Structures are given as structure tokens and as C-alpha cells.
Amino acid sequence: MDKEIINWKELLYPYEQTVEELMLKFNYIKKEYLRLGLYSPIESVEGRVKSAASIIEKVSRKNIQREKIEEEIEDIAGIRLICQFVEDIPKIIDIIRQRDGHDIEIVEERDYIANKKESGYRSYHIIIKYGLNTAFGYRQVLAEIQIRTLAMNFWAVTEHELNYKYSGNLPDDLKARLKACAEASFNLDKEMSTIREELMQAEKMSELKSSLVDNILENIQNLYFKLHMDEADNINRRFIDLYEDGDINKLKDFNEQLNIVAEMYRV
């Protein structure tokens, strides 16, 4: 790396803006799924901008010239889209591809799931150019999108922290243990996929129960001053018994009865 002084604040600001905008957009996609009552393939969104120290290390290791930093280092800006199941990954990839030619331009895709790294690392990477409107005009910024399951992410974060601790020189026995953990993690993903339908059904039932309980409690609160104290107490005790019993059909029937009573009292 040459000795020209770099204004890191000026260099990194567009990448910070890129990460903020991309995180906002993908979080809105997740919220849209949920608002429509649909399953979101995106579980969470994370983002980061490489530190000056990390960039200097990479520039030195790859012998990159100062004027080439912004075109040769593709992951200064990075976001991570984390999902529950391996089957969610192609769905997220499709979401990104649908934006190609609009606010992003896909430069390259790297499938480290079908082609895992020697270390055991698995993830799907998409290198993009992101169109950014800055105070100084329009520009395109390179960014990396990583798509992983929860299990893949847990392994990758752990491996990254260990590599940092050992300055990239992991002992052989630790490398072997990490590779074994990577396989165990991938097997966990495959096993979770086999019980996906049961898990999703359980989530729907939980959401339905939560919605019913919210409606019942609202009706009880609204009826409190319209009914005699004994009647209100009886309704409350019946709700507690039904809630503890856990039968969602009985809760639905009880909720419908409360809705009728609430309509009678216009509350």
C-alpha cells in the first residue's frame, strides 16, 4: 500500500450510507411479509462497514493500490440476511434478483453452500453495485450481501472470532474441530428442514392464540364497567381456565361469545 494519507471518514461514509439504506429496505421487505400475514424468508438483517484497520490489512495482503481500493475490495459494505431454513435461501436470492437493474446491479454470485470452503464455511454471497444518491451526486458503491441460516451464521461468527484471536493461524486441532462443527451445523439445518411444516404450523397456532388473547382481554376490559362485578369476575375466571387448558377452539368460541356481548353493550 502506498504512503498517501487516506481520509477514512470521507472514504467510508458512502459505504455507511449504503449499509443503512440496504438494511432499511430488506427490513421493510420482512415487515411487508409479516403485515400481510405471510411467512418471511428473512429472519433478521445485519450490516457492517469494514474498519480502516481491516481494509489496511486486506490492501497490504493483496497488494492493492490506493486508487483501486473502491473497485477491488468488494466487501467494505456488507449486509447479512439470516433465515431459519436452507429452503429460504433461494427465496431470498430471488428477492434480490428481482431488484437487479433497479436500485442494485448484481456483479457476481458465489455459492459457498453447494461449494463449501475448505474451512467448512457455508453461505451464499452476492456482490452488487448499489446506486447511491449523495450530497455530491449519484454514484455506485460495491457491496456484499451474505445469505445464511441461523446455524450457518452461528458457526461463521464463531470461526471469525477464533481466526481474529489467532491472527489467522488456527491450530490444526482447532481447525479440525471447527470443520466437524460445520458439518454438525449443516446436518442440523437439514434436520430442521424435515420438521419445517410442523414448526411453521406451531408458529401460526401461537400467533392465532396471541391474537385471540389480545381480543379477549380488550373485550373484558371494555365490559368491566358495563357488567356487575360478579359477572365480570366470572368472565375473567373462565378466561383464565380456558387459557390454562390451552384448547384454542374453546378460546375461539369464548372470544365469539364475548364479541356478541360487547356488541350488545356497544363497547
Side-chain angles (χ1 to χ4, degrees), residues 19-35:
V19 168
E20 288 175 8
E21 291 189 13
L22 286 172
M23 288 184 67
L24 185 65
K25 289 181 178 184
F26 283 102
N27 270 315
Y28 267 113
I29 290 171
K30 174 188 173 182
K31 287 179 183 178
E32 186 176 5
Y33 273 100
L34 298 177
R35 273 200 290 261

Side-chain angles (χ1 to χ4, degrees), residues 118-120 155 158-183:
E118 176 61 26
S119 63
W155 184 92
T158 302
E159 192 259 359
H160 177 79
E161 290 176 353
L162 285 170
N163 260 309
Y164 180 79
K165 177 182 176 182
Y166 287 95
S167 302
N169 297 308
L170 289 173
D172 289 341
D173 66 321
L174 191 52
K175 284 182 182 178
R177 289 165 64 191
L178 277 169
K179 286 182 75 171
C181 286
E183 291 309 305

Side-chain angles (χ1 to χ4, degrees), residues 142-153:
L142 280 172
E144 180 182 72
I145 302 175
Q146 298 177 350
I147 309 164
R148 303 173 179 168
T149 63
L150 290 162
M152 290 175 193
N153 189 58

Side-chain angles (χ1 to χ4, degrees), residues 5-188:
I5 296 174
I6 297 175
N7 185 332
W8 288 106
K9 185 175 181 180
E10 181 180 327
L11 186 144
L12 293 178
Y13 184 77
Y15 294 99
E16 292 169 0
Q17 186 178 339
T18 295
V19 168
E20 288 175 8
E21 291 189 13
L22 286 172
M23 288 184 67
L24 185 65
K25 289 181 178 184
F26 283 102
N27 270 315
Y28 267 113
I29 290 171
K30 174 188 173 182
K31 287 179 183 178
E32 186 176 5
Y33 273 100
L34 298 177
R35 273 200 290 261
L36 293 172
L38 302 172
Y39 170 78
S40 172
I42 300 172
E43 174 70 16
S44 63
V45 182
E46 299 176 355
R48 65 100 185 97
V49 175
K50 266 188 182 298
S51 66
S54 293
I55 296 172
I56 290 170
E57 186 277 328
K58 194 164 189 175
V59 164
S60 177
R61 176 163 43 86
K62 296 198 170 186
N63 196 27
I64 297 171
Q65 298 300 311
R66 159 66 183 90
E67 64 273 13
K68 297 286 188 179
I69 287 177
E70 292 166 89
E71 61 183 84
E72 291 193 19
I73 301 184
E74 302 163 331
D75 62 345
I76 294 177
I79 68 163
R80 191 172 296 149
L81 305 177
I82 299 172
C83 55
Q84 292 190 62
F85 304 100
V86 175
E87 290 85 354
D88 294 328
I89 292 176
K91 295 177 183 176
I92 297 174
I93 294 169
D94 284 342
I95 289 171
I96 297 169
R97 287 174 179 165
Q98 286 168 16
R99 303 183 81 101
D100 189 22
H102 298 283
D103 55 345
I104 70 170
E105 176 189 333
I106 294 177
V107 176
E108 186 179 353
E109 297 185 30
R110 299 167 185 164
D111 188 350
Y112 297 121
I113 298 172
N115 305 290
K116 67 179 180 180
K117 290 189 176 181
E118 176 61 26
S119 63
Y121 176 85
R122 286 181 171 91
S123 186
Y124 198 97
H125 292 194
I126 300 180
I127 308 301
I128 66 167
K129 285 182 180 177
Y130 179 70
L132 196 65
N133 292 303
T134 74
F136 305 101
Y138 178 83
R139 63 175 292 185
Q140 285 188 311
V141 175
L142 280 172
E144 180 182 72
I145 302 175
Q146 298 177 350
I147 309 164
R148 303 173 179 168
T149 63
L150 290 162
M152 290 175 193
N153 189 58
F154 177 75
W155 184 92
V157 170
T158 302
E159 192 259 359
H160 177 79
E161 290 176 353
L162 285 170
N163 260 309
Y164 180 79
K165 177 182 176 182
Y166 287 95
S167 302
N169 297 308
L170 289 173
D172 289 341
D173 66 321
L174 191 52
K175 284 182 182 178
R177 289 165 64 191
L178 277 169
K179 286 182 75 171
C181 286
E183 291 309 305
S185 174
F186 190 59
N187 287 333
L188 173 62

